[in-house]
């Protein structure tokens, strides 16, 4: 609808503005009495050398198209009312699951990325579910998406863990409960190191042995990695998340010298207090540290190696990194180095930052053992959903399957309904709510639509007629925006746009359900059922993009 209106305005203005400039300013009025869309004439003030109110008055009678029933000046705006007959027929006949564009481009997306030998905590949830949703949006918008889990499996923390295992660990305890035992050792190391500072050097020594290929150190590291990945898979299965590659930091060990050579060849590496850096004064950034004075590589070196590997292997058109906001400077430096090296694809790599999940107003700390285990939270929400079903619909089929869909959906939606850049305070009570602005509310609305369609399936159908009453119009206006919402969510890398839209559709549809006798036998019955079907399809499709299942019964 917006594009069609934009084309009419563009034609009427006779090229005074570009089509994109017009599309950028068309808006939906806050109050529905002002119409369906508004065009602010401020953007024409400089062109016509008149005040916006005068421009609106002069233009209001010049829009001639059957798609518009009214164009009225209101202050500096022109408010448009659309032809409900035309919009309704298009909505009822075409709205449904968003048709994916032909996949002609490649996008890599790096998300989740937990550290091995540490529990999968609530702190890892945001990257995982935001990344999954953006990956799904990318697929709908014409990309072959490569999902990458850049596991944290290298660095001095593994020297610390090996030192802790050698001092206090035993094989049987790790085999019996791998992640919990390794995590206990990691926390104990930091507690002891606060008292006995020589432990820090011991940890560094073990990491040096690991880097040098020491057999004992490598054997333990590989074991820790294997049991960690097995544990992660259990959580990913609960969330319905899959990856195409698990190439972690260690994968790039043999590619680091190539990065140093490339930088050396281009004369970009400089000595700084014994370390090797790439100066970035040209873009007002601190120097990017490539090698420390002892020759050790850093995150930047590995992320450069990963960027080049992904470009060469996947030939991406777009490469995304869904990593916390605290890493923003790091990625600015890495991307600036790629640009300074002369590679034009630096403009195709993007950091997608997000805020923290806080506990009592503070970031969760793995080192201090202050975390909330994600798997525990998932199981608690599923259990709460099961109890809710037992109380409200004890005869429901597939209760366990529905409880899992509702419990996991509650967690994912609770995250994705928030703007990704905001911090979220962890609250199990909030996640366990099944009413209001929640995933279960959207799922229940979908189930309600399915129920109506089941009840209406045996009723004799009539031909499709336009629905032009006020209640139907509010639903249809929203439904025809679905494709635009998908595009906007992807372009802004913000799944909350889609999540909020699904909440809006649910609220408006439930209002429609309360005010209109949908199954009443009259000439518009077929059209009303088609409208219900469109709502069902949009809710199911939108939830699936967010990584949430849509049960047909709840």
């Amino acid at each position: 609808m917006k594009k069609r209106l934009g084309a009419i305005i563009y034609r009427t203005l006779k090229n005074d503005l570009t089509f994109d400039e017009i599309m950028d300013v068309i808006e939906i009025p806050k109050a529905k009495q002002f119409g369906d869309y508004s065009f602010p004439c401020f953007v024409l003030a400089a062109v016509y050398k008149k005040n916006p109110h005068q421009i609106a008055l002069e233009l209001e009678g010049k829009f001639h198209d059957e798609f518009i029933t009214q164009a009225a000046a209101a202050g500096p705006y022109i408010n448009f009312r659309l032809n409900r007959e035309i919009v309704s027929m298009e909505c009822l006949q075409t709205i449904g699951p968003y048709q994916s564009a032909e996949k002609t481009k490649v996008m890599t997306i790096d998300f989740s990325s937990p550290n091995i030998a540490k529990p999968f905590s609530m702190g890892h949830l945001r990257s995982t579910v935001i990344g999954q949703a953006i990956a799904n949006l990318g697929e709908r918008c014409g990309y072959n998406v490569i999902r990458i889990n850049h596991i944290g499996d290298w660095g001095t923390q593994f020297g610390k863990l090996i030192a802790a295992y050698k001092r206090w660990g035993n094989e049987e305890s790790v085999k019996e409960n791998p992640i919990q035992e390794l995590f206990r050792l990691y926390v104990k190391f930091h507690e002891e190191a606060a008292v006995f500072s020589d432990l820090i050097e011991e940890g560094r020594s073990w990491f040096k042995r690991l880097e040098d290929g020491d057999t004992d150190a490598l054997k333990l590291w590989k074991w820790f990695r294997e049991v960690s990945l097995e544990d992660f898979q259990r959580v990913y299965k609960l969330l319905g998340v899959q990856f195409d590659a698990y190439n972690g930091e260690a994968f790039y060990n043999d590619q680091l010298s190539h990065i140093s050579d490339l930088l050396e060849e281009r004369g970009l590496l400089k000595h700084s207090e014994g370390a090797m850096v790439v100066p970035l004064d040209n873009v007002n950034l601190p120097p990017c540290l490539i090698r420390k004075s002892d020759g050790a590589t850093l995150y930047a070196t590995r992320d450069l190696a990963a960027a080049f590997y992904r470009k060469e292997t996947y030939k991406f058109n777009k490469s995304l990194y869904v990593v916390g906001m605290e890493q923003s400077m790091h990625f600015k430096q890495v991307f600036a180095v790629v640009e300074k090296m002369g590679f034009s694809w630096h403009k195709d790599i993007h950091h997608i930052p997000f805020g923290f999940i806080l506990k009592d107003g503070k970031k969760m700390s793995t080192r201090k053992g202050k975390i909330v285990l994600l798997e525990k939270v998932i199981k608690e929400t599923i259990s709460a959903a099961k109890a809710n079903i037992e109380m409200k619909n004890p005869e429901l089929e597939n209760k366990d399957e529905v409880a899992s869909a509702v419990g996991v959906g509650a967690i994912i939606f609770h995250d994705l309904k928030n703007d990704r850049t905001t911090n979220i305070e962890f609250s199990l009570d909030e996640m366990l709510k099944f009413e209001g602005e929640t995933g279960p509310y959207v799922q229940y609305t979908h189930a309600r639509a399915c129920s109506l369609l089941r009840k209406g399936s045996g009723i004799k159908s009539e031909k499709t007629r336009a629905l032009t009453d006020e209640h139907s119009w509010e639903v249809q206006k929203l439904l025809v925006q679905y494709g635009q919402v998908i595009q906007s969510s992807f372009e802004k890398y913000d799944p909350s746009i889609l999540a909020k839209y699904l909440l809006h559709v649910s609220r408006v549809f439930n209002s429609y359900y309360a005010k209109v006798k949908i199954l009443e036998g009259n000439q518009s019955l077929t059209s009303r059922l088609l409208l219900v079907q469109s709502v069902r399809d949009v809710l199911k499709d939108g939830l699936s993009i967010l990584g949430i299942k849509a049960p047909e019964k709840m």
Side-chain angles (χ1 to χ4, degrees):
M1 287 200 304
K2 185 179 175 183
K3 282 184 178 177
R4 196 156 163 183
L5 176 63
I8 295 166
I9 295 172
Y10 175 69
R11 189 171 65 241
T12 304
L13 295 181
K14 298 184 173 61
N15 302 326
D16 289 330
L17 294 174
T18 68
F19 178 72
D20 287 341
E21 285 172 335
I22 291 167
M23 289 297 291
D24 283 342
V25 297
I26 292 176
E27 57 191 63
I28 296 173
K30 288 187 171 72
K32 60 185 178 184
Q33 65 262 30
F34 293 122
D36 303 313
Y37 282 99
S38 286
F39 176 72
C41 294
F42 304 104
V43 290
L44 290 168
V47 179
Y48 294 167
K49 311 297 184 196
K50 297 177 181 177
N51 75 63
H53 176 55
Q54 183 63 34
I55 295 169
L57 287 170
E58 290 176 8
L59 286 176
E60 68 176 350
K62 295 185 178 180
F63 298 94
H64 306 294
D65 194 283
E66 64 174 1
F67 189 62
I68 298 171
T69 59
Q70 186 183 59
Y77 292 88
I78 301 172
N79 293 329
F80 294 92
R81 293 189 186 277
L82 305 185
N83 187 319
R84 293 187 181 186
E85 292 266 349
I86 293 174
V87 174
S88 178
M89 291 303 289
E90 289 185 4
C91 173
L92 297 176
Q93 292 169 359
T94 63
I95 298 299
Y98 184 73
Q99 297 302 310
S100 301
E102 185 181 351
K103 293 183 174 64
T104 56
K105 298 169 283 186
V106 175
M107 179 177 94
T108 62
I109 180 164
D110 174 334
F111 65 103
S112 194
S113 309
N115 291 323
I116 67 167
K118 294 179 186 176
F120 209 119
S121 77
M122 284 301 298
H124 297 107
L125 177 69
R126 300 218 71 192
S127 175
T128 305
V129 298
I130 292 170
Q132 174 78 342
I134 292 173
N136 293 341
L137 285 163
E139 285 180 331
R140 295 304 183 91
C141 294
Y143 286 86
N144 279 307
V145 177
I146 312 297
R147 294 165 168 82
I148 299 168
N149 198 338
H150 187 77
I151 297 289
D153 61 0
W154 203 250
T156 54
Q157 67 265 39
F158 297 105
K160 296 174 184 178
L161 186 59
I162 293 170
Y165 177 78
K166 287 289 187 181
R167 277 180 173 254
W168 308 296
N170 70 77
E171 188 174 348
E172 287 308 311
S173 296
V174 174
K175 282 183 176 177
E176 189 177 327
N177 213 340
I179 296 297
Q180 282 78 358
E181 177 60 14
L182 292 174
F183 182 48
R184 183 189 71 80
L185 292 171
Y186 183 76
V187 172
K188 183 175 176 63
F189 179 91
H190 285 96
E191 289 172 347
E192 295 289 326
V195 181
F196 305 105
S197 56
D198 59 318
L199 270 176
I200 299 295
E201 191 52 46
E202 190 176 325
R204 286 199 189 106
S205 174
W206 270 109
F207 182 59
K208 181 71 168 65
R209 287 171 67 174
L210 183 60
E211 284 195 305
D212 293 341
D214 177 84
T215 306
D216 192 17
L218 273 175
K219 183 180 177 183
L220 286 172
W221 173 79
K222 285 177 181 175
W223 181 37
F224 297 161
R225 190 180 192 278
E226 285 166 11
V227 296
S228 298
L229 287 176
E230 284 175 19
D231 202 70
F232 295 158
Q233 283 304 328
R234 195 171 63 251
V235 178
Y236 288 134
K237 188 175 180 182
L238 284 169
L239 290 172
V241 174
Q242 293 182 318
F243 294 92
D244 300 297
Y246 282 87
N247 296 332
E249 293 174 44
F251 177 80
Y252 301 101
N253 280 345
D254 61 356
Q255 301 170 45
L256 303 179
S257 58
H258 174 61
I259 295 300
S260 294
D261 291 344
L262 283 174
L263 292 167
E264 195 80 65
E265 286 167 14
R266 286 163 171 73
L268 299 177
L269 274 184
K270 306 295 179 188
H271 288 277
S272 176
E273 299 178 13
M276 300 300 289
V277 305
V278 175
L280 296 172
D281 314 60
N282 59 314
V283 285
N284 296 316
L285 290 173
C288 185
L289 191 54
I290 302 298
R291 283 192 182 275
K292 291 198 275 190
S293 54
D294 62 2
T297 55
L298 293 103
Y299 285 125
T301 329
R302 292 175 188 282
D303 277 334
L304 284 166
F308 278 87
Y309 174 84
R310 291 169 192 175
K311 185 62 179 176
E312 290 163 13
T313 305
Y314 304 115
K315 304 195 168 34
F316 61 72
N317 302 92
K318 190 187 290 283
S319 185
L320 309 181
Y321 296 77
V322 185
V323 183
M325 203 176 292
E326 71 278 16
Q327 295 296 324
S328 293
M329 177 60 74
H330 163 77
F331 282 108
K332 282 179 184 175
Q333 289 175 301
V334 169
F335 300 164
V337 170
V338 176
E339 181 178 10
K340 200 165 185 179
M341 291 170 82
F343 293 97
S344 61
W345 49 267
H346 73 89
K347 65 183 182 300
D348 303 322
I349 49 182
H350 308 278
H351 174 215
I352 314 301
F354 56 86
F356 297 124
I357 290 186
L358 306 175
K359 190 164 191 316
D360 302 323
K362 296 177 182 176
K363 184 186 174 187
M364 297 180 190
S365 170
T366 308
R367 185 175 296 184
K368 295 176 182 176
K370 293 181 179 178
I371 61 169
V372 177
L373 298 181
L374 178 56
E375 187 176 10
K376 183 181 177 185
V377 173
I378 292 173
K379 287 181 176 176
E380 284 191 42
T381 55
I382 292 173
S383 177
K386 180 79 177 289
N388 208 310
I389 291 167
E390 293 288 4
M391 181 175 64
K392 295 183 177 179
N393 193 1
E395 304 304 315
L396 180 68
E397 302 166 10
N398 308 319
K399 281 189 274 194
D400 289 339
E401 189 180 321
V402 174
S404 179
V406 173
V408 172
I411 292 171
I412 295 175
F413 199 89
H414 180 267
D415 189 300
L416 296 183
K417 73 179 181 181
N418 293 285
D419 184 295
R420 62 174 166 79
T421 58
T422 60
N423 293 334
I424 303 174
E425 179 68 32
F426 171 75
S427 167
L428 194 55
D429 289 340
E430 282 296 314
M431 286 188 177
L432 293 176
K433 282 183 182 175
F434 296 106
E435 295 171 353
E437 295 193 342
T438 66
Y441 172 69
V442 179
Q443 289 172 314
Y444 179 73
T445 306
H446 170 266
R448 169 174 277 173
C450 290
S451 174
L452 284 166
L453 292 171
R454 283 194 298 273
K455 290 174 183 175
S457 62
I459 302 173
K460 184 182 177 183
S461 64
E462 303 281 341
K463 71 174 187 177
T464 306
R465 300 170 184 273
L467 295 172
T468 58
D469 64 282
E470 203 62 42
H471 304 309
S472 301
W473 180 239
E474 290 306 307
V475 180
Q476 291 171 105
K477 271 201 304 184
L478 268 180
L479 291 177
V480 294
Q481 294 171 31
Y482 184 47
Q484 180 188 330
V485 167
I486 297 291
Q487 291 285 342
S488 179
S489 293
F490 179 61
E491 287 167 7
K492 296 177 181 177
Y493 306 124
D494 189 358
S496 75
I497 295 171
L498 174 57
K500 288 167 184 169
Y501 168 80
L502 296 179
L503 281 169
H504 195 180
V505 171
S506 298
R507 282 193 297 269
V508 171
F509 175 71
N510 284 321
S511 174
Y512 172 69
Y513 173 85
K515 293 170 183 171
V516 175
K517 293 179 179 177
I518 295 171
L519 297 178
E520 183 180 18
N522 60 27
Q523 290 182 329
S524 297
L525 173 61
T526 299
S527 297
R528 289 196 300 273
L529 287 174
L530 280 172
L531 182 59
V532 174
Q533 181 179 304
S534 295
V535 169
R536 177 202 65 185
D537 291 348
V538 163
L539 292 181
K540 182 176 182 178
D541 194 56
L543 285 170
S544 76
I545 290 171
L546 297 179
I548 299 170
K549 292 178 181 176
E552 293 189 2
K553 295 180 182 179
M554 281 176 67

